[in-house]
Amino acid sequence: MNSSLSDLEQAFQAKIDAEQKIEPKDWMPAKYRSNLVRQVSQHAHSEVIGMQPEGNWITRAPSLRRKAVLLAKVQDEAGHGLYLYSATETLGTSRAKLIEALQTGKAKYASIFNYPTQTWGDIGAIGWLVDGAAICNQVSLQRTSYGPYARSMIRICKEESFHQRQGYQIMIELAKGTPAQKAMAQDSLNRFYWPSLMMFGPHDSDSAHSAQSMKWKIKRETNDDLRQKFIDQTVPQIEYLGLEHPDKDLKWNEERGHYDSGEIDWDEFTSVINGNGHCNRQRISHHVAAHEEGSWVREAQNAYNKKMKARRASAA
């Protein structure tokens, strides 16, 4: 063990190295706690904000069945946000503080959700590509070192798998349909492919948190490894659809056993992350409005809880 670390830090790292879970009441370094609060709350914010681009199409879905399936999916995303906010609260940060950080721009969420859903094909692309990218990342998070986060990911991954199949089915229907439907699928693929690659974050060499998160096993795979996995698995899916791959520089590398790909537009990524995407302001303003409109529900719940607490106290 490193002699510069305290006994508590050494015991903490030894527990992680032994693949044992860290639980809320366990001792943990302050930076481990803050790193987790940042990552898990960002994940929660992404799930909740991610309801908006798809919720926009619930009333316009092309059939009653599609409407019901999409409604179920959006409801799942709300549940994922709930699990993840609850997991973050076990680290000692209140949900009110987390939501305030989101609404004031102090906290980030996945940049992909700042792109508009212009056609029904976009709903297919989000389910297939965006949720597919999420699954790549979240499967490994079932083994993350923090117990509440790891356990919440088990159910989330099962539901995300359904979301991906739902999206890919839409893309199949469009790609095998009329020329206009196939063109819609191609357009959605072209617009959502690169932003989906950006979901994995910056290159590992440019990531401020990646190395430490890997040491603490908060993350189990690096940004670049996860992005490569996604690229490799997406190629045959695009081929099956009979669509053109958006990356014209894509090429199989026999020596690496992976596809080489073109470079992401990192200037666009930075711009969207910093609040300059197509829908950044719209997403946050909608969240603020919904939060304020629902204040009476929270107030009623708090009043009821206070009443029940007083009743139990008087009965005792």
Side-chain angles (χ1 to χ4, degrees), residues 59-301:
T59 59
R60 296 184 286 163
S63 70
L64 181 60
R65 177 179 177 276
R66 293 292 189 193
K67 188 189 298 290
V69 172
L70 183 57
L71 187 61
K73 184 190 175 189
V74 173
Q75 180 176 276
D76 283 348
E77 307 294 3
H80 297 174
L82 175 62
Y83 308 151
L84 293 164
Y85 280 133
S86 297
T88 312
E89 286 179 305
T90 66
L91 291 160
T93 303
S94 70
R95 193 169 312 185
K97 187 175 181 179
L98 297 173
I99 292 173
E100 180 187 9
L102 170 65
Q103 295 181 348
T104 57
K106 296 177 183 177
K108 305 295 185 183
Y109 57 88
S111 59
I112 188 74
F113 298 120
N114 290 310
Y115 291 84
T117 45
Q118 301 176 27
T119 69
W120 177 249
D122 292 358
I123 302 302
I126 288 175
W128 165 38
L129 296 173
V130 176
D131 292 318
I135 290 170
C136 278
N137 183 41
Q138 293 170 8
V139 165
S140 66
L141 290 177
Q142 294 176 104
R143 298 183 293 110
T144 191
S145 60
Y146 188 58
Y149 191 24
R151 290 188 288 273
S152 69
M153 293 313 306
I154 295 173
R155 179 166 180 173
I156 289 176
C157 284
K158 290 178 180 178
E159 293 177 349
E160 292 290 2
S161 180
F162 151 69
H163 300 166
Q164 185 187 31
R165 291 197 299 272
Q166 172 255 3
Y168 196 58
Q169 184 190 37
I170 291 174
M171 296 299 286
I172 290 173
E173 294 285 339
L174 292 174
K176 305 303 180 184
T178 66
Q181 288 174 322
K182 185 173 183 179
M184 180 188 291
Q186 183 68 62
D187 175 63
S188 296
L189 169 59
N190 292 344
R191 285 186 290 106
F192 276 89
Y193 178 77
W194 291 104
S196 295
L197 295 186
M198 297 176 193
M199 287 179 64
F200 297 102
H203 287 307
D204 298 325
S205 57
D206 300 322
S207 175
H209 306 285
S210 190
Q212 186 62 70
S213 291
M214 289 291 291
K215 179 182 179 181
W216 280 330
K217 299 186 180 179
I218 295 174
K219 291 179 63 173
R220 304 302 300 242
E221 296 182 73
T222 69
N223 294 352
D224 289 330
D225 286 346
L226 290 166
R227 188 166 19 244
Q228 183 68 67
K229 183 183 295 186
F230 177 74
I231 291 170
D232 291 346
Q233 75 179 29
T234 306
V235 171
Q237 294 170 349
I238 295 174
E239 291 175 349
Y240 179 80
L241 293 173
L243 301 177
E244 294 183 13
H245 202 292
D247 185 355
K248 305 309 176 187
D249 295 324
L250 189 79
K251 185 178 181 181
W252 177 253
N253 186 318
E254 191 68 39
E255 183 178 349
R256 291 199 313 120
H258 295 288
Y259 283 95
D260 292 333
S261 59
E263 189 62 18
I264 292 169
D265 185 344
W266 292 111
D267 289 338
E268 177 182 337
F269 171 78
T270 302
S271 179
V272 175
I273 284 292
N274 289 333
N276 299 312
H278 296 287
C279 300
N280 286 69
R281 294 168 184 80
Q282 176 185 330
R283 299 292 186 239
I284 295 300
S285 63
H286 183 85
H287 187 279
V288 170
H291 187 69
E292 291 176 349
E293 289 171 7
S295 62
W296 68 271
V297 178
R298 297 189 297 276
E299 291 168 1
Q301 182 65 51

